[in-house]
């Protein structure tokens, strides 16, 4: 399924598959971003800071949100660009072994002012299995109109 601007219905909701965060995920994100802060690499340090163990980067969670959404293939043939993330809140830490999924809702849409396309806004949550949030955010995208 690929949604074009005309297909987007404000209020429509989608839920992704889940992903279990691993220590390797956290280590890979450290390596890719060069962010080796001890909260993400040193269990004793993280425990002294009040966590159960090392925690995932908040930005890893944000990237995971986009990856899980991409697996839905909502914009497989229609995506032009991400215009940005707004109101990002890291609500609860995530660690190795945590199972996460995304729920998203279309909250707005409008015609692009600069090209024959549409701007869509989604509210997006990265959730634990009990639906409590780890991250909440708003994502704005530019997508194609149908020919």
């Amino acid at each position: 399924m690929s949604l074009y601007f005309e297909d987007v219905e404000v209020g429509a909701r989608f839920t992704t598959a889940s992903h279990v965060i691993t220590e390797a995920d956290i280590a890979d994100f450290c390596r890719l971003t060069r962010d080796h802060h001890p909260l993400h690499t040193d269990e004793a340090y993280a425990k002294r800071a009040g966590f159960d163990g090392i925690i995932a980067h908040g930005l890893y969670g944000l990237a995971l949100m986009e990856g899980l959404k991409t697996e839905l293939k909502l914009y497989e043939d229609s995506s032009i660009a991400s215009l940005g993330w707004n109101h990002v809140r890291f609500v609860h830490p995530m660690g190795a072994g945590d199972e996460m999924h995304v729920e998203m809702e279309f909250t707005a849409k409008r015609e692009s002012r600069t090209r024959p396309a549409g701007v869509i806004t989604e509210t997006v949550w990265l959730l634990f299995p009990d639906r409590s949030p780890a991250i909440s955010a708003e994502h704005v995208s530019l997508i194609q109109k149908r020919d």
Side-chain angles (χ1 to χ4, degrees):
M1 161 170 64
S2 195
L3 297 176
Y4 289 81
F5 177 72
E6 295 85 351
D7 304 321
V8 171
E9 294 181 24
V10 173
R13 292 179 70 105
F14 297 86
T15 301
T16 71
S18 63
H19 173 76
V20 176
I21 297 171
T22 67
E23 288 185 17
D25 291 339
I26 298 169
D28 286 345
F29 199 82
C30 287
R31 183 182 54 75
L32 287 170
T33 62
R34 302 173 54 92
D35 179 351
H36 296 277
H37 190 279
L39 284 173
H40 313 300
T41 60
D42 183 334
E43 187 168 349
Y45 181 94
K47 285 184 175 181
R48 283 194 307 275
F51 300 102
D52 294 334
I54 64 169
I55 59 171
H57 305 69
L59 291 176
Y60 165 81
L62 193 62
L64 179 61
M65 291 168 79
E66 185 60 22
L68 289 170
K69 283 191 330 132
T70 299
E71 289 178 348
L72 292 173
K73 299 187 183 297
L74 295 178
Y75 316 113
E76 193 73 6
D77 300 317
S78 60
S79 179
I80 298 171
S82 171
L83 300 179
W85 291 82
N86 303 316
H87 314 293
V88 176
R89 294 293 174 261
F90 302 125
V91 179
H92 194 279
M94 304 163 292
D98 284 336
E99 181 179 346
M100 311 304 300
H101 72 277
V102 167
E103 291 184 17
M104 58 167 277
E105 178 179 353
F106 291 120
T107 55
K109 67 185 264 188
R110 66 171 176 79
E111 304 269 339
S112 171
R113 293 184 199 100
T114 60
R115 61 194 313 176
V119 176
I120 59 168
T121 304
E122 311 157 342
T123 297
V124 187
W125 302 271
L126 185 64
L127 303 172
F128 294 95
D130 68 0
R131 299 191 68 238
S132 63
I135 301 175
S136 65
E138 177 183 85
H139 184 230
V140 182
S141 297
L142 184 67
I143 66 171
Q144 297 176 24
K145 289 182 167 183
R146 291 198 176 278
D147 292 331

